[in-house]
Amino acid sequence: MAPPDSAPSIAARTGPLAGRTVLQVLPALQAGGVERTAVDVAAAVARAGGRSIVVSEGGRLEQALDAAGVRSLHLPLTRRMPWSLAANAVALRRLIRDERVDVVHARSRAPAWSALWAARGAGAVFVTTYAGIYNAKSGMKRAYNSVMARGERVIANSAFTASHLIAEHGTDPRSVVTIPRGMDLHRFDPAAIPLERVERLRLRFGLTREPARPAALLAGRLTRWKGQALAIEALALAVQRGCDLVLVLAGDDQGRKDYRKELKLMAARLGVGERVHIAGHVDDMPAAYLACDFALAPSLDPEAFGRTAAEPQAMGRPVLAADHGGSRETVEDGVSGCLVAAGDVEAWAQALLVASRWTPAERDAMGAAGSARVRSLFSVEAMTAKTLEVYESLLSSRPMA
């Protein structure tokens, strides 16, 4: 880890968090809702006059931290062995003391254990964000997951998540704060996206064929529970029934080369190989949503929030989402899209068939409804303001470090 720099910035002398330092810990800064939220909150702390530090193993989103004037430090926080957790705890405790950190905010389980021990040892406030519905098939796994419910405040990213963690861990409801994940609605603004960005992605996605076919975008890292295989199987059934549709899978395989190969082979075996485009990681997601006609969020397990169901709505695109978890809070069934039985290939095939036949006017009406809903409920400004309120409430009775 880089040597500490304890000199306060000019911004740290003004604002509601003046003189306070907030440290966030998470495994890495590649891509995803947890990572994006950490960057947004870090930037908001800096704007509010505080000092903001993010510790992870690094990644592409460090550029966004640099642009916001936020320090990014490195520790091997993806390691889960007990000795690694202990070593990280020692390093974090030293950092907390050297930097006079007031709040430690943990966003993932392995880093959270190290951060919990470090925060307690150094006397800092400990906050967690419970951002996933962690599977627990044994008492040991439940105990491992429980660290995310041990914050002085536990932020849940949806009402569904809040209910789950209270039931799962017996958490005092008074310590739980529901703050839906926020979106940068300036970035996800259809009016701000030049046509050339959209056309560039249409070319990359293979959507330049004439006459144009309707295109569905499934955004999310390539991992089985996100439902890519289900979508391909449903597409094959729908095509047999007269559906003329193209499916775009946009997401990093994160080293899951075998799964990526499996999806490609499955599409070919089912006769839809030329209709399925595996695009890999896409940096320009606002333009990606505009390049397609509607979006899919077919996760097999419940999403804690469902960023990939909310983002396309902000861009005016209807969404077909699995009928469970946080998607029930982000998609208004029959208004901004459709909720489809989770894991049911037949139901998804029928939903794809119907969606492929929506008229442009029908898509526009659902897109407008979804955009209005997202903009009223899920802005990054609302999310960061509520998060900073959590920090301020916990610090109000504590003297400066």
Side-chain angles (χ1 to χ4, degrees):
M1 187 166 58
D5 175 8
S6 59
S9 66
I10 294 174
R13 294 196 287 269
T14 60
L17 287 175
R20 301 293 196 174
T21 299
V22 176
L23 169 67
Q24 295 183 83
V25 295
L26 65 162
L29 285 164
Q30 294 296 351
V34 169
E35 295 84 348
R36 187 72 249 178
T37 300
V39 171
D40 290 336
V41 169
V45 168
R47 289 194 300 271
R51 296 178 64 242
S52 193
I53 304 170
V54 176
V55 179
S56 72
E57 290 194 1
R60 59 174 65 95
L61 286 178
E62 285 185 289
Q63 295 177 358
L65 292 178
D66 290 341
V70 174
R71 292 180 63 204
S72 177
L73 303 177
H74 293 175
L75 278 176
L77 293 178
T78 60
R79 298 178 185 176
R80 300 181 182 182
M81 299 305 294
W83 51 87
S84 297
L85 300 183
N88 285 334
V90 171
L92 287 172
R93 183 171 178 177
R94 184 183 305 116
L95 176 66
I96 292 167
R97 288 180 168 171
D98 289 347
E99 294 290 333
R100 298 183 178 181
V101 170
D102 298 283
V103 177
V104 178
H105 188 160
R107 295 186 174 277
S108 186
R109 289 167 291 177
W113 280 111
S114 300
L116 171 63
W117 300 329
R120 285 180 175 174
V125 169
F126 183 62
V127 175
T128 58
T129 289
Y130 205 106
I133 306 305
Y134 308 113
N135 293 322
K137 297 181 180 179
S138 67
M140 182 176 295
K141 189 62 177 290
R142 185 171 288 106
Y144 176 68
N145 296 344
S146 71
V147 69
M148 301 310 296
R150 296 191 183 194
E152 294 176 49
R153 289 291 184 277
V154 181
I155 297 173
N157 63 356
S158 68
F160 170 71
T161 304
S163 297
H164 169 81
L165 76 91
I166 290 169
E168 179 79 356
H169 303 292
T171 307
D172 185 345
R174 292 173 297 181
S175 70
V176 179
V177 180
T178 300
I179 305 177
R181 183 169 288 164
M183 297 170 48
D184 184 346
L185 296 176
H186 301 289
R187 179 171 178 247
F188 287 92
D189 178 2
I193 310 301
L195 181 60
E196 56 265 26
R197 282 170 52 186
V198 178
E199 290 303 318
R200 188 181 307 124
L201 283 175
R202 285 186 61 80
L203 181 63
R204 176 177 168 184
F205 295 163
L207 303 179
T208 55
R209 165 179 166 157
E210 294 293 341
R213 293 167 167 173
L217 176 66
L218 196 170
R221 64 189 182 276
L222 295 191
T223 183
R224 196 170 301 279
W225 77 271
K226 286 293 186 179
Q228 291 94 354
L230 169 73
I232 292 173
E233 192 174 353
L235 174 64
L237 280 179
V239 168
Q240 291 174 13
R241 298 168 188 176
C243 173
D244 189 18
L245 182 68
V246 174
L247 173 63
V248 178
L249 306 179
D252 196 334
D253 64 22
Q254 296 181 322
R256 300 180 184 91
K257 305 296 184 184
D258 289 345
Y259 183 53
R260 183 187 183 110
K261 182 178 179 180
E262 176 188 332
L263 294 175
K264 188 172 182 178
L265 291 173
M266 172 186 282
R269 175 172 52 82
L270 294 175
V272 292
E274 56 93 20
R275 293 176 180 270
V276 176
H277 300 275
I278 303 177
H281 176 75
V282 176
D283 284 316
D284 193 353
M285 286 308 302
Y289 290 121
L290 289 182
C292 297
D293 298 288
F294 59 93
L296 308 182
S299 299
L300 304 182
D301 296 332
E303 293 275 8
F305 172 73
R307 179 176 57 95
T308 55
E311 287 178 352
Q313 291 180 81
M315 299 304 296
R317 292 297 185 258
V319 181
L320 308 183
D323 187 11
H324 57 184
S327 294
R328 291 175 175 171
E329 298 170 47
T330 54
V331 177
E332 192 170 3
D333 190 29
V335 178
S336 63
C338 298
L339 294 173
V340 185
D344 187 330
V345 174
E346 174 62 35
W348 277 92
Q350 184 60 29
L352 289 178
L353 182 61
V354 170
S356 70
R357 294 174 178 173
W358 284 333
T359 67
E362 288 173 327
R363 289 198 301 262
D364 288 347
M366 285 186 283
S371 179
R373 178 176 175 79
V374 166
R375 290 178 185 282
S376 68
L377 297 176
F378 305 123
S379 72
V380 71
E381 290 82 5
M383 181 270 292
T384 55
K386 290 176 182 177
T387 302
L388 266 57
E389 287 174 8
V390 169
Y391 298 160
E392 292 164 15
S393 70
L394 291 169
L395 292 172
S396 61
S397 59
R398 297 198 181 201
M400 292 282 189

mmCIF file with all atom_site columns, all heavy atoms in Angstrom, residues 340-360:
data_model
loop_
_atom_site.group_PDB
_atom_site.id
_atom_site.type_symbol
_atom_site.label_atom_id
_atom_site.label_alt_id
_atom_site.label_comp_id
_atom_site.label_asym_id
_atom_site.label_entity_id
_atom_site.label_seq_id
_atom_site.pdbx_PDB_ins_code
_atom_site.Cartn_x
_atom_site.Cartn_y
_atom_site.Cartn_z
_atom_site.occupancy
_atom_site.B_iso_or_equiv
_atom_site.pdbx_formal_charge
_atom_site.auth_seq_id
_atom_site.auth_comp_id
_atom_site.auth_asym_id
_atom_site.auth_atom_id
_atom_site.pdbx_PDB_model_num
ATOM 1   N N   . VAL A 1 340 ? -41.190 -11.335 -15.440 1.00 0.00 ? 340 VAL A N   1
ATOM 2   C CA  . VAL A 1 340 ? -41.313 -12.677 -16.023 1.00 0.00 ? 340 VAL A CA  1
ATOM 3   C C   . VAL A 1 340 ? -40.880 -13.707 -14.989 1.00 0.00 ? 340 VAL A C   1
ATOM 4   O O   . VAL A 1 340 ? -39.915 -13.483 -14.246 1.00 0.00 ? 340 VAL A O   1
ATOM 5   C CB  . VAL A 1 340 ? -40.435 -12.804 -17.289 1.00 0.00 ? 340 VAL A CB  1
ATOM 6   C CG1 . VAL A 1 340 ? -40.659 -14.155 -17.959 1.00 0.00 ? 340 VAL A CG1 1
ATOM 7   C CG2 . VAL A 1 340 ? -40.718 -11.658 -18.259 1.00 0.00 ? 340 VAL A CG2 1
ATOM 8   N N   . ALA A 1 341 ? -41.575 -14.824 -14.927 1.00 0.00 ? 341 ALA A N   1
ATOM 9   C CA  . ALA A 1 341 ? -41.268 -15.868 -13.948 1.00 0.00 ? 341 ALA A CA  1
ATOM 10  C C   . ALA A 1 341 ? -39.788 -16.233 -13.982 1.00 0.00 ? 341 ALA A C   1
ATOM 11  O O   . ALA A 1 341 ? -39.250 -16.597 -15.031 1.00 0.00 ? 341 ALA A O   1
ATOM 12  C CB  . ALA A 1 341 ? -42.132 -17.097 -14.207 1.00 0.00 ? 341 ALA A CB  1
ATOM 13  N N   . ALA A 1 342 ? -39.151 -16.141 -12.848 1.00 0.00 ? 342 ALA A N   1
ATOM 14  C CA  . ALA A 1 342 ? -37.710 -16.386 -12.763 1.00 0.00 ? 342 ALA A CA  1
ATOM 15  C C   . ALA A 1 342 ? -37.378 -17.832 -13.122 1.00 0.00 ? 342 ALA A C   1
ATOM 16  O O   . ALA A 1 342 ? -37.992 -18.768 -12.611 1.00 0.00 ? 342 ALA A O   1
ATOM 17  C CB  . ALA A 1 342 ? -37.211 -16.063 -11.355 1.00 0.00 ? 342 ALA A CB  1
ATOM 18  N N   . GLY A 1 343 ? -36.400 -18.005 -14.015 1.00 0.00 ? 343 GLY A N   1
ATOM 19  C CA  . GLY A 1 343 ? -35.905 -19.324 -14.358 1.00 0.00 ? 343 GLY A CA  1
ATOM 20  C C   . GLY A 1 343 ? -36.816 -20.153 -15.242 1.00 0.00 ? 343 GLY A C   1
ATOM 21  O O   . GLY A 1 343 ? -36.494 -21.305 -15.547 1.00 0.00 ? 343 GLY A O   1
ATOM 22  N N   . ASP A 1 344 ? -37.935 -19.602 -15.696 1.00 0.00 ? 344 ASP A N   1
ATOM 23  C CA  . ASP A 1 344 ? -38.924 -20.332 -16.491 1.00 0.00 ? 344 ASP A CA  1
ATOM 24  C C   . ASP A 1 344 ? -38.678 -20.070 -17.978 1.00 0.00 ? 344 ASP A C   1
ATOM 25  O O   . ASP A 1 344 ? -39.038 -19.016 -18.504 1.00 0.00 ? 344 ASP A O   1
ATOM 26  C CB  . ASP A 1 344 ? -40.333 -19.892 -16.085 1.00 0.00 ? 344 ASP A CB  1
ATOM 27  C CG  . ASP A 1 344 ? -41.442 -20.721 -16.725 1.00 0.00 ? 344 ASP A CG  1
ATOM 28  O OD1 . ASP A 1 344 ? -41.238 -21.228 -17.840 1.00 0.00 ? 344 ASP A OD1 1
ATOM 29  O OD2 . ASP A 1 344 ? -42.514 -20.840 -16.104 1.00 0.00 ? 344 ASP A OD2 1
ATOM 30  N N   . VAL A 1 345 ? -38.056 -21.028 -18.664 1.00 0.00 ? 345 VAL A N   1
ATOM 31  C CA  . VAL A 1 345 ? -37.692 -20.827 -20.065 1.00 0.00 ? 345 VAL A CA  1
ATOM 32  C C   . VAL A 1 345 ? -38.925 -20.574 -20.920 1.00 0.00 ? 345 VAL A C   1
ATOM 33  O O   . VAL A 1 345 ? -38.918 -19.709 -21.811 1.00 0.00 ? 345 VAL A O   1
ATOM 34  C CB  . VAL A 1 345 ? -36.908 -22.052 -20.587 1.00 0.00 ? 345 VAL A CB  1
ATOM 35  C CG1 . VAL A 1 345 ? -36.647 -21.909 -22.092 1.00 0.00 ? 345 VAL A CG1 1
ATOM 36  C CG2 . VAL A 1 345 ? -35.593 -22.202 -19.847 1.00 0.00 ? 345 VAL A CG2 1
ATOM 37  N N   . GLU A 1 346 ? -39.993 -21.309 -20.674 1.00 0.00 ? 346 GLU A N   1
ATOM 38  C CA  . GLU A 1 346 ? -41.215 -21.134 -21.450 1.00 0.00 ? 346 GLU A CA  1
ATOM 39  C C   . GLU A 1 346 ? -41.780 -19.722 -21.284 1.00 0.00 ? 346 GLU A C   1
ATOM 40  O O   . GLU A 1 346 ? -42.169 -19.068 -22.265 1.00 0.00 ? 346 GLU A O   1
ATOM 41  C CB  . GLU A 1 346 ? -42.260 -22.165 -21.009 1.00 0.00 ? 346 GLU A CB  1
ATOM 42  C CG  . GLU A 1 346 ? -43.626 -21.997 -21.652 1.00 0.00 ? 346 GLU A CG  1
ATOM 43  C CD  . GLU A 1 346 ? -43.612 -22.152 -23.164 1.00 0.00 ? 346 GLU A CD  1
ATOM 44  O OE1 . GLU A 1 346 ? -42.832 -22.972 -23.674 1.00 0.00 ? 346 GLU A OE1 1
ATOM 45  O OE2 . GLU A 1 346 ? -44.380 -21.423 -23.826 1.00 0.00 ? 346 GLU A OE2 1
ATOM 46  N N   . ALA A 1 347 ? -41.812 -19.233 -20.048 1.00 0.00 ? 347 ALA A N   1
ATOM 47  C CA  . ALA A 1 347 ? -42.323 -17.881 -19.799 1.00 0.00 ? 347 ALA A CA  1
ATOM 48  C C   . ALA A 1 347 ? -41.458 -16.836 -20.477 1.00 0.00 ? 347 ALA A C   1
ATOM 49  O O   . ALA A 1 347 ? -41.967 -15.851 -21.035 1.00 0.00 ? 347 ALA A O   1
ATOM 50  C CB  . ALA A 1 347 ? -42.397 -17.625 -18.295 1.00 0.00 ? 347 ALA A CB  1
ATOM 51  N N   . TRP A 1 348 ? -40.144 -17.045 -20.447 1.00 0.00 ? 348 TRP A N   1
ATOM 52  C CA  . TRP A 1 348 ? -39.242 -16.086 -21.080 1.00 0.00 ? 348 TRP A CA  1
ATOM 53  C C   . TRP A 1 348 ? -39.353 -16.129 -22.601 1.00 0.00 ? 348 TRP A C   1
ATOM 54  O O   . TRP A 1 348 ? -39.273 -15.102 -23.273 1.00 0.00 ? 348 TRP A O   1
ATOM 55  C CB  . TRP A 1 348 ? -37.800 -16.315 -20.623 1.00 0.00 ? 348 TRP A CB  1
ATOM 56  C CG  . TRP A 1 348 ? -37.535 -15.641 -19.315 1.00 0.00 ? 348 TRP A CG  1
ATOM 57  C CD1 . TRP A 1 348 ? -37.662 -16.172 -18.070 1.00 0.00 ? 348 TRP A CD1 1
ATOM 58  C CD2 . TRP A 1 348 ? -37.157 -14.276 -19.131 1.00 0.00 ? 348 TRP A CD2 1
ATOM 59  N NE1 . TRP A 1 348 ? -37.379 -15.221 -17.118 1.00 0.00 ? 348 TRP A NE1 1
ATOM 60  C CE2 . TRP A 1 348 ? -37.064 -14.056 -17.736 1.00 0.00 ? 348 TRP A CE2 1
ATOM 61  C CE3 . TRP A 1 348 ? -36.885 -13.234 -20.000 1.00 0.00 ? 348 TRP A CE3 1
ATOM 62  C CZ2 . TRP A 1 348 ? -36.712 -12.821 -17.198 1.00 0.00 ? 348 TRP A CZ2 1
ATOM 63  C CZ3 . TRP A 1 348 ? -36.521 -11.991 -19.468 1.00 0.00 ? 348 TRP A CZ3 1
ATOM 64  C CH2 . TRP A 1 348 ? -36.437 -11.794 -18.086 1.00 0.00 ? 348 TRP A CH2 1
ATOM 65  N N   . ALA A 1 349 ? -39.565 -17.309 -23.156 1.00 0.00 ? 349 ALA A N   1
ATOM 66  C CA  . ALA A 1 349 ? -39.748 -17.413 -24.605 1.00 0.00 ? 349 ALA A CA  1
ATOM 67  C C   . ALA A 1 349 ? -40.984 -16.638 -25.036 1.00 0.00 ? 349 ALA A C   1
ATOM 68  O O   . ALA A 1 349 ? -40.960 -15.903 -26.034 1.00 0.00 ? 349 ALA A O   1
ATOM 69  C CB  . ALA A 1 349 ? -39.866 -18.882 -25.017 1.00 0.00 ? 349 ALA A CB  1
ATOM 70  N N   . GLN A 1 350 ? -42.071 -16.798 -24.287 1.00 0.00 ? 350 GLN A N   1
ATOM 71  C CA  . GLN A 1 350 ? -43.294 -16.079 -24.626 1.00 0.00 ? 350 GLN A CA  1
ATOM 72  C C   . GLN A 1 350 ? -43.104 -14.569 -24.458 1.00 0.00 ? 350 GLN A C   1
ATOM 73  O O   . GLN A 1 350 ? -43.583 -13.773 -25.284 1.00 0.00 ? 350 GLN A O   1
ATOM 74  C CB  . GLN A 1 350 ? -44.449 -16.560 -23.741 1.00 0.00 ? 350 GLN A CB  1
ATOM 75  C CG  . GLN A 1 350 ? -45.801 -15.954 -24.061 1.00 0.00 ? 350 GLN A CG  1
ATOM 76  C CD  . GLN A 1 350 ? -46.260 -16.232 -25.480 1.00 0.00 ? 350 GLN A CD  1
ATOM 77  O OE1 . GLN A 1 350 ? -45.901 -17.265 -26.068 1.00 0.00 ? 350 GLN A OE1 1
ATOM 78  N NE2 . GLN A 1 350 ? -47.038 -15.321 -26.052 1.00 0.00 ? 350 GLN A NE2 1
ATOM 79  N N   . ALA A 1 351 ? -42.388 -14.156 -23.404 1.00 0.00 ? 351 ALA A N   1
ATOM 80  C CA  . ALA A 1 351 ? -42.141 -12.726 -23.181 1.00 0.00 ? 351 ALA A CA  1
ATOM 81  C C   . ALA A 1 351 ? -41.304 -12.132 -24.312 1.00 0.00 ? 351 ALA A C   1
ATOM 82  O O   . ALA A 1 351 ? -41.568 -11.007 -24.773 1.00 0.00 ? 351 ALA A O   1
ATOM 83  C CB  . ALA A 1 351 ? -41.437 -12.520 -21.840 1.00 0.00 ? 351 ALA A CB  1
ATOM 84  N N   . LEU A 1 352 ? -40.298 -12.867 -24.780 1.00 0.00 ? 352 LEU A N   1
ATOM 85  C CA  . LEU A 1 352 ? -39.482 -12.383 -25.898 1.00 0.00 ? 352 LEU A CA  1
ATOM 86  C C   . LEU A 1 352 ? -40.313 -12.265 -27.169 1.00 0.00 ? 352 LEU A C   1
ATOM 87  O O   . LEU A 1 352 ? -40.163 -11.299 -27.938 1.00 0.00 ? 352 LEU A O   1
ATOM 88  C CB  . LEU A 1 352 ? -38.303 -13.328 -26.137 1.00 0.00 ? 352 LEU A CB  1
ATOM 89  C CG  . LEU A 1 352 ? -37.191 -13.339 -25.089 1.00 0.00 ? 352 LEU A CG  1
ATOM 90  C CD1 . LEU A 1 352 ? -36.131 -14.370 -25.453 1.00 0.00 ? 352 LEU A CD1 1
ATOM 91  C CD2 . LEU A 1 352 ? -36.551 -11.960 -24.932 1.00 0.00 ? 352 LEU A CD2 1
ATOM 92  N N   . LEU A 1 353 ? -41.182 -13.232 -27.396 1.00 0.00 ? 353 LEU A N   1
ATOM 93  C CA  . LEU A 1 353 ? -42.039 -13.184 -28.578 1.00 0.00 ? 353 LEU A CA  1
ATOM 94  C C   . LEU A 1 353 ? -42.930 -11.944 -28.557 1.00 0.00 ? 353 LEU A C   1
ATOM 95  O O   . LEU A 1 353 ? -43.035 -11.223 -29.562 1.00 0.00 ? 353 LEU A O   1
ATOM 96  C CB  . LEU A 1 353 ? -42.894 -14.456 -28.653 1.00 0.00 ? 353 LEU A CB  1
ATOM 97  C CG  . LEU A 1 353 ? -43.825 -14.594 -29.858 1.00 0.00 ? 353 LEU A CG  1
ATOM 98  C CD1 . LEU A 1 353 ? -43.024 -14.597 -31.159 1.00 0.00 ? 353 LEU A CD1 1
ATOM 99  C CD2 . LEU A 1 353 ? -44.650 -15.862 -29.733 1.00 0.00 ? 353 LEU A CD2 1
ATOM 100 N N   . VAL A 1 354 ? -43.535 -11.681 -27.409 1.00 0.00 ? 354 VAL A N   1
ATOM 101 C CA  . VAL A 1 354 ? -44.411 -10.508 -27.280 1.00 0.00 ? 354 VAL A CA  1
ATOM 102 C C   . VAL A 1 354 ? -43.603 -9.221  -27.439 1.00 0.00 ? 354 VAL A C   1
ATOM 103 O O   . VAL A 1 354 ? -43.990 -8.304  -28.178 1.00 0.00 ? 354 VAL A O   1
ATOM 104 C CB  . VAL A 1 354 ? -45.142 -10.524 -25.921 1.00 0.00 ? 354 VAL A CB  1
ATOM 105 C CG1 . VAL A 1 354 ? -45.863 -9.205  -25.677 1.00 0.00 ? 354 VAL A CG1 1
ATOM 106 C CG2 . VAL A 1 354 ? -46.128 -11.687 -25.865 1.00 0.00 ? 354 VAL A CG2 1
ATOM 107 N N   . ALA A 1 355 ? -42.463 -9.142  -26.742 1.00 0.00 ? 355 ALA A N   1
ATOM 108 C CA  . ALA A 1 355 ? -41.657 -7.915  -26.772 1.00 0.00 ? 355 ALA A CA  1
ATOM 109 C C   . ALA A 1 355 ? -41.128 -7.625  -28.165 1.00 0.00 ? 355 ALA A C   1
ATOM 110 O O   . ALA A 1 355 ? -41.018 -6.461  -28.569 1.00 0.00 ? 355 ALA A O   1
ATOM 111 C CB  . ALA A 1 355 ? -40.507 -8.011  -25.776 1.00 0.00 ? 355 ALA A CB  1
ATOM 112 N N   . SER A 1 356 ? -40.784 -8.672  -28.912 1.00 0.00 ? 356 SER A N   1
ATOM 113 C CA  . SER A 1 356 ? -40.254 -8.464  -30.263 1.00 0.00 ? 356 SER A CA  1
ATOM 114 C C   . SER A 1 356 ? -41.300 -7.858  -31.195 1.00 0.00 ? 356 SER A C   1
ATOM 115 O O   . SER A 1 356 ? -40.951 -7.315  -32.247 1.00 0.00 ? 356 SER A O   1
ATOM 116 C CB  . SER A 1 356 ? -39.741 -9.789  -30.842 1.00 0.00 ? 356 SER A CB  1
ATOM 117 O OG  . SER A 1 356 ? -40.813 -10.677 -31.133 1.00 0.00 ? 356 SER A OG  1
ATOM 118 N N   . ARG A 1 357 ? -42.577 -7.949  -30.815 1.00 0.00 ? 357 ARG A N   1
ATOM 119 C CA  . ARG A 1 357 ? -43.655 -7.441  -31.651 1.00 0.00 ? 357 ARG A CA  1
ATOM 120 C C   . ARG A 1 357 ? -44.237 -6.125  -31.139 1.00 0.00 ? 357 ARG A C   1
ATOM 121 O O   . ARG A 1 357 ? -45.229 -5.633  -31.688 1.00 0.00 ? 357 ARG A O   1
ATOM 122 C CB  . ARG A 1 357 ? -44.757 -8.508  -31.750 1.00 0.00 ? 357 ARG A CB  1
ATOM 123 C CG  . ARG A 1 357 ? -44.269 -9.747  -32.494 1.00 0.00 ? 357 ARG A CG  1
ATOM 124 C CD  . ARG A 1 357 ? -45.280 -10.883 -32.478 1.00 0.00 ? 357 ARG A CD  1
ATOM 125 N NE  . ARG A 1 357 ? -44.780 -12.025 -33.253 1.00 0.00 ? 357 ARG A NE  1
ATOM 126 C CZ  . ARG A 1 357 ? -45.387 -13.205 -33.311 1.00 0.00 ? 357 ARG A CZ  1
ATOM 127 N NH1 . ARG A 1 357 ? -46.517 -13.415 -32.634 1.00 0.00 ? 357 ARG A NH1 1
ATOM 128 N NH2 . ARG A 1 357 ? -44.870 -14.183 -34.036 1.00 0.00 ? 357 ARG A NH2 1
ATOM 129 N N   . TRP A 1 358 ? -43.624 -5.576  -30.075 1.00 0.00 ? 358 TRP A N   1
ATOM 130 C CA  . TRP A 1 358 ? -44.059 -4.244  -29.647 1.00 0.00 ? 358 TRP A CA  1
ATOM 131 C C   . TRP A 1 358 ? -43.835 -3.251  -30.781 1.00 0.00 ? 358 TRP A C   1
ATOM 132 O O   . TRP A 1 358 ? -42.796 -3.274  -31.456 1.00 0.00 ? 358 TRP A O   1
ATOM 133 C CB  . TRP A 1 358 ? -43.260 -3.774  -28.433 1.00 0.00 ? 358 TRP A CB  1
ATOM 134 C CG  . TRP A 1 358 ? -43.650 -4.413  -27.128 1.00 0.00 ? 358 TRP A CG  1
ATOM 135 C CD1 . TRP A 1 358 ? -44.852 -4.932  -26.776 1.00 0.00 ? 358 TRP A CD1 1
ATOM 136 C CD2 . TRP A 1 358 ? -42.788 -4.590  -25.986 1.00 0.00 ? 358 TRP A CD2 1
ATOM 137 N NE1 . TRP A 1 358 ? -44.814 -5.425  -25.506 1.00 0.00 ? 358 TRP A NE1 1
ATOM 138 C CE2 . TRP A 1 358 ? -43.564 -5.219  -24.985 1.00 0.00 ? 358 TRP A CE2 1
ATOM 139 C CE3 . TRP A 1 358 ? -41.462 -4.276  -25.720 1.00 0.00 ? 358 TRP A CE3 1
ATOM 140 C CZ2 . TRP A 1 358 ? -43.044 -5.537  -23.729 1.00 0.00 ? 358 TRP A CZ2 1
ATOM 141 C CZ3 . TRP A 1 358 ? -40.943 -4.586  -24.481 1.00 0.00 ? 358 TRP A CZ3 1
ATOM 142 C CH2 . TRP A 1 358 ? -41.723 -5.210  -23.496 1.00 0.00 ? 358 TRP A CH2 1
ATOM 143 N N   . THR A 1 359 ? -44.767 -2.358  -30.960 1.00 0.00 ? 359 THR A N   1
ATOM 144 C CA  . THR A 1 359 ? -44.577 -1.291  -31.939 1.00 0.00 ? 359 THR A CA  1
ATOM 145 C C   . THR A 1 359 ? -43.653 -0.236  -31.353 1.00 0.00 ? 359 THR A C   1
ATOM 146 O O   . THR A 1 359 ? -43.495 -0.154  -30.124 1.00 0.00 ? 359 THR A O   1
ATOM 147 C CB  . THR A 1 359 ? -45.911 -0.648  -32.299 1.00 0.00 ? 359 THR A CB  1
ATOM 148 O OG1 . THR A 1 359 ? -46.428 0.038   -31.138 1.00 0.00 ? 359 THR A OG1 1
ATOM 149 C CG2 . THR A 1 359 ? -46.921 -1.686  -32.789 1.00 0.00 ? 359 THR A CG2 1
ATOM 150 N N   . PRO A 1 360 ? -43.032 0.600   -32.195 1.00 0.00 ? 360 PRO A N   1
ATOM 151 C CA  . PRO A 1 360 ? -42.212 1.689   -31.646 1.00 0.00 ? 360 PRO A CA  1
ATOM 152 C C   . PRO A 1 360 ? -42.987 2.559   -30.665 1.00 0.00 ? 360 PRO A C   1
ATOM 153 O O   . PRO A 1 360 ? -42.423 3.004   -29.654 1.00 0.00 ? 360 PRO A O   1
ATOM 154 C CB  . PRO A 1 360 ? -41.806 2.469   -32.903 1.00 0.00 ? 360 PRO A CB  1
ATOM 155 C CG  . PRO A 1 360 ? -41.776 1.435   -33.988 1.00 0.00 ? 360 PRO A CG  1
ATOM 156 C CD  . PRO A 1 360 ? -42.923 0.515   -33.663 1.00 0.00 ? 360 PRO A CD  1
#
